[in-house]
Amino acid sequence: MKVTQQTALKNRNSLSLPARCQRLIEIENRSDFNDLPALIKANEPVHILGGGSNTVLTQSHLPHTVITQTPPETAEQGITLEGELVLVDAGAPWPEMVHWAVNHGLGGIENLAAIPGSCGAAPIQNIGAYGVELKDVLEWVEIFDWRLGRFFTVNNAQCQFGYRNSYFKRHPEKPWIITRLAMRLRSDSPLRLHYSGVRETLIHLGHQPETASYAQVAQAITTLRAQKLPNPAILPNAGSFFKNPVISDAHYAALKHNFPALPHWPQEHGGHKISAAWLIQRLGLQNIRVGDAGFYRKHALIVVNYGQASGADVLALARYVITRVQKATDITLEVEPVCLPETI
């Protein structure tokens, strides 16, 4: 375990926002968890930071103790097989987990290739892409409670997964840190290629969709993501910034009069999912900047740091866009990443 004070976090968040935390605790091995109860005081503000790819540090100083988990040196070191389940340490990078699975002929998460961040952050957000969500394969999550000083598991149903949501995300006050995930990945898992562009990209890469391997699908997904999303190492960003809102049938019918070309996806239990990116573009908001915070030119859902953006810049940009969309459509956009310490 490594503990430092007044630690810079600029290199620990993918938006590259300047911030310092009161204290940083780095978990380096499993036995370190047992030391947390003695280190964390009652009512002390604590934040669990994974890869920092889904976090917006909205102020320059966080009065928090931030806890991170050092990733294993190789993917194999963080992954174990237990019967039909694949167990992975929370500190392992998610892209490496997908790479390991598809190269071992195991399917179920190939559509989630190239999503940045740690495995421990994946269930908090219920990461999803190209028609697949983590909840589709997750069996259980192991948690360490630093108040009680013990490990326990939470099953899929107890995670209360929703669209980019979970029990963990709704209850950040819990004294919990995710330590491991268990997923049921299968060698006969059916391919899910219905999402726009997946089949076409497979063919472009020289693969037949009907006989594609999990590794080939992951390659196609990685290619698609690279075409749409900026590399955080080159242009700092936190991925999709706003959720696609789900509205009622009546609300959609009313909107359609003013926005006849509005993209929508009917939902299984009623309502319509609406494209937040389309609304932002349609209302002429994609080119707006606050300081160096602005939207990516190729995708109106991606907020990027064009240079020296601060958390306050990102906060102001998001609030302005939310207000404009609300006034024009009566839709309140929800922010996808975790904002700390000030929420939007």
Side-chain angles (χ1 to χ4, degrees):
M1 176 183 289
K2 183 179 179 182
V3 181
T4 55
Q5 307 290 329
Q6 296 296 325
T7 308
L9 300 175
K10 185 172 183 178
N11 293 331
R12 294 178 181 269
N13 74 96
S14 63
L15 262 168
S16 195
L17 299 175
R20 289 182 177 273
C21 64
Q22 189 69 23
R23 180 174 60 162
L24 179 70
I25 299 176
E26 298 177 73
I27 301 291
E28 297 177 313
N29 55 64
R30 189 171 177 83
S31 65
D32 287 346
F33 291 108
N34 296 312
D35 296 329
L36 289 178
L39 288 172
I40 301 175
K41 299 177 182 178
N43 302 318
E44 179 178 353
V46 176
H47 178 68
I48 311 303
L49 185 65
S53 59
N54 194 51
T55 303
V56 180
L57 304 177
T58 54
Q59 295 180 7
S60 60
H61 180 263
L62 276 65
H64 294 66
T65 286
V66 173
I67 303 175
T68 67
Q69 298 182 60
T70 303
E73 292 185 9
T74 65
E76 286 78 5
Q77 290 180 351
I79 298 171
T80 56
L81 293 174
E82 192 173 281
E84 295 182 348
L85 298 181
V86 178
L87 279 56
V88 60
D89 292 345
W94 177 259
E96 292 185 15
M97 173 67 242
V98 177
H99 182 76
W100 181 92
V102 299
N103 284 330
H104 283 76
L106 296 174
I109 57 174
E110 59 278 359
N111 289 40
L112 305 180
I115 294 179
S118 68
C119 289
I124 297 174
Q125 187 75 0
N126 183 27
I127 58 172
Y130 297 96
V132 174
E133 292 179 302
L134 179 67
K135 70 178 181 64
D136 300 333
V137 298
L138 187 129
E139 285 287 314
W140 51 258
V141 171
E142 182 187 69
I143 291 169
F144 182 78
D145 185 316
W146 65 75
R147 291 280 178 260
L148 300 178
R150 67 180 182 88
F151 294 91
F152 65 98
T153 59
V154 175
N155 65 32
N156 188 304
Q158 292 169 323
C159 292
Q160 298 179 17
F161 288 124
Y163 170 56
R164 303 296 183 271
N165 212 339
S166 69
Y167 181 86
F168 313 113
K169 188 172 183 179
R170 291 190 294 272
H171 295 278
E173 77 282 358
K174 293 288 186 180
W176 295 350
I177 180 169
I178 293 174
T179 57
R180 285 194 301 174
L181 318 182
M183 294 174 286
R184 192 172 297 277
L185 307 179
R186 296 162 33 201
S187 59
D188 62 348
S189 178
L191 297 179
R192 282 151 292 188
L193 309 178
H194 60 279
Y195 203 95
S196 175
V198 178
R199 286 180 172 272
E200 294 83 352
T201 304
L202 278 167
I203 293 171
H204 177 74
L205 292 172
H207 310 309
Q208 292 300 316
E210 292 74 17
T211 58
S213 67
Y214 300 129
Q216 289 168 346
V217 173
Q219 180 190 15
I221 297 296
T222 301
T223 300
L224 275 171
R225 291 182 65 88
Q227 292 170 352
K228 295 180 179 181
L229 308 176
N231 183 340
I234 299 173
L235 188 58
N237 70 90
S240 295
F241 200 86
F242 295 109
K243 297 179 182 179
N244 286 323
V246 177
I247 61 176
S248 68
D249 293 332
H251 194 172
Y252 169 70
L255 276 181
K256 194 174 180 180
H257 288 292
N258 293 328
F259 305 103
L262 176 63
H264 68 104
W265 299 272
Q267 301 298 286
E268 182 180 354
H269 301 294
H272 294 256
K273 183 180 287 186
I274 303 301
S275 170
W278 189 91
L279 290 175
I280 291 169
Q281 290 176 316
R282 179 67 177 77
L283 296 174
L285 302 173
Q286 189 171 358
N287 294 324
I288 291 173
R289 286 199 193 183
V290 176
D292 276 340
F295 289 99
Y296 185 46
R297 61 183 178 82
K298 292 183 179 180
H299 201 307
L301 273 192
I302 311 297
V303 172
V304 302
N305 181 350
Y306 280 106
Q308 302 299 320
S310 67
D313 293 336
V314 175
L315 202 63
L317 175 67
R319 287 173 173 167
Y320 178 77
V321 169
I322 289 170
T323 299
R324 286 284 304 275
V325 172
Q326 169 68 32
K327 287 181 177 179
T329 67
D330 200 28
I331 292 174
T332 302
L333 293 181
E334 290 185 49
V335 172
E336 192 167 317
V338 175
C339 298
L340 190 80
E342 188 176 357
T343 58
I344 295 175

